[in-house]
Amino acid sequence: MIPLSILELGRVRQGFDRRTALEDARALAQHAERLGFRRIWVAEHHNSPAVTTAATSVVLSYIAAGTTRIRIGAGGIMLPNHAPYVIAEQFGTLETLYPGRVDLGLGRAPGTDQMTLRALRRNSSNAENFPQDVLELQGFLASKRQAQRVEAVPGSGTNVPLWILGSSLFGAQLAASLGLPYAFGSQFAPQALHQALNVYRESFQPSEQLRKPYALIGVNVVAAETDIEARILATSQQMTFADMFRGKPSLLKPPIEDIEAYRTPRERAQTDQMLSCSVVGSAETVRDGLNQLVFDTQADELMIVSDIFDFNKRVRSLEIIAQAAT
């Protein structure tokens, strides 16, 4: 099996507080490190009641301080929300503190709504500058040039590896043209997965960072002792999506036995479409599902999303996934 990693959102669970969510994220990283997962990334989302990773670099430093080997990274930083120079300083600082462990995934979506975008003092048109901003950021992370008057400190000379994130052909084309690794968000938007991977691989141009294409894809995985138990645990994520479609974002809820009593047929269809890149079941089911996904996509790495309400069951899910991948 190919390398496995984790995408963490610091989900706030119903009945728990935000600090617990962040503590859970760090504890999960410690378990993942012990189990042999390659990296743990956190994502920048704003104005979401159940997500505590908005201050991405701060959360990453907290996770890194509690671990020793697992790679940490942004999955990703929504670059239109920030000045590239500031991100170079932040991630240069992380690389200085935790050398050889930092990844920087970059996306061009705002990761929030238009009202929050205004609160961030950003404009939606900033996304049009995404390719140029990536190059500017890359320049600030490179060694300082002789005539360069503005230096990222820390940052310059750290050469933090960049990734391009996406769920459409745009990201695939950009990653290919810049010779960067590509992470596709198939855990929530799988529709263009195969087409984007084909475009990325066929158009790839080697760079100093990467000599050949490297594609990571997201997949929702819920593992348990039995298929039935796993399907019940997966209802927490399904309820989150149903609430999102209703315009009423919620904290992560305890699982229920009858998910169809909670959602409408339309909500089920919407959820099934967005979560179609999912594997839910026992160790055998997970092994077969992941093997099939790798065969179908030829992905180089899988990034696991596992929204399970009970923390101990979430850790157990990771254990089963790690065993299934051996």
Side-chain angles (χ1 to χ4, degrees):
M1 177 62 73
I2 63 175
L4 300 179
S5 297
I6 296 170
L7 179 63
E8 170 64 25
L9 297 176
R11 293 282 191 193
V12 183
R13 295 176 285 157
Q14 196 174 76
F16 296 84
D17 60 17
R18 295 169 180 174
R19 176 168 181 163
T20 300
L22 291 168
E23 290 173 345
D24 285 349
R26 179 162 158 165
L28 192 79
Q30 293 167 338
H31 285 289
E33 181 173 77
R34 174 176 55 83
L35 292 169
F37 284 79
R38 174 168 290 187
R39 62 187 102 235
I40 182 166
W41 285 0
V42 302
E44 177 189 350
H45 289 281
H46 299 280
N47 196 25
S48 179
V51 177
T52 58
T53 54
T56 310
S57 60
V58 178
V59 176
L60 286 175
S61 189
Y62 176 65
I63 291 174
T67 54
T68 58
R69 299 182 310 277
I70 193 169
R71 294 191 67 87
I72 60 163
I77 288 292
M78 301 298 105
L79 196 52
N81 294 344
H82 310 276
Y85 181 68
V86 173
I87 298 303
E89 292 176 326
Q90 291 177 1
F91 279 78
T93 301
L94 286 171
E95 177 64 24
T96 302
L97 291 171
Y98 311 104
R101 295 179 58 195
V102 181
D103 302 318
L104 178 47
L106 303 169
R108 67 167 181 155
T112 189
D113 56 80
Q114 291 299 313
M115 185 177 296
T116 308
L117 198 62
R118 290 194 291 273
L120 289 166
R121 300 296 191 269
R122 309 302 288 174
N123 191 301
S124 58
S125 64
N126 291 339
E128 298 175 5
N129 301 321
F130 181 63
Q132 293 77 21
D133 286 348
V134 172
L135 291 173
E136 182 179 345
L137 173 58
Q138 193 172 45
F140 281 128
L141 292 170
S143 297
K144 182 184 177 183
R145 300 179 299 278
Q146 186 172 3
Q148 183 177 338
R149 300 184 62 183
V150 178
E151 180 182 5
V153 181
S156 61
T158 58
N159 293 302
V160 175
L162 302 184
W163 293 64
I164 299 298
L165 278 57
S167 56
S168 67
L169 300 186
F170 178 87
Q173 292 165 339
L174 180 62
S177 67
L178 297 180
L180 296 177
Y182 180 50
F184 189 90
S186 39
Q187 76 275 7
F188 70 94
Q191 288 73 27
L193 171 61
H194 294 281
Q195 187 178 8
L197 292 180
N198 288 337
V199 167
Y200 172 62
R201 290 168 179 145
E202 291 172 1
S203 306
F204 184 83
Q205 300 295 316
S207 67
E208 290 187 15
Q209 179 177 328
L210 193 65
R211 304 310 301 170
K212 62 181 182 179
Y214 191 93
L216 175 155
I217 65 172
V219 53
N220 303 288
V221 185
V222 175
E225 306 304 330
T226 67
D227 287 352
I228 293 175
E229 181 187 3
R231 285 195 291 267
I232 292 174
L233 294 178
T235 61
S236 294
Q237 186 183 41
Q238 292 165 345
M239 286 187 286
T240 295
F241 274 77
D243 292 344
M244 180 183 68
F245 296 138
R246 297 169 187 174
K248 298 179 180 179
S250 62
L251 304 185
L252 191 66
K253 296 178 178 179
I256 57 178
E257 291 194 7
D258 185 6
I259 184 62
E260 304 314 329
Y262 186 87
R263 60 187 182 181
T264 66
R266 181 178 180 181
E267 290 166 349
R268 174 182 179 175
Q270 291 173 307
T271 300
D272 287 351
Q273 182 183 47
M274 292 188 71
L275 299 181
S276 61
C277 191
S278 299
V279 180
V280 178
S282 64
E284 183 179 0
T285 300
V286 168
R287 182 181 299 109
D288 292 344
L290 294 183
N291 283 336
Q292 187 63 51
L293 181 62
V294 172
F295 178 81
D296 291 342
T297 64
Q298 296 298 301
D300 298 293
E301 186 172 340
L302 299 180
M303 181 153 277
I304 307 300
V305 177
S306 192
D307 286 340
I308 296 175
F309 181 82
D310 185 289
F311 182 75
N312 291 329
K313 291 186 181 296
R314 192 176 182 204
V315 171
R316 179 57 184 149
S317 179
L318 287 189
E319 292 173 346
I320 295 171
I321 294 167
Q323 292 167 4
T326 58

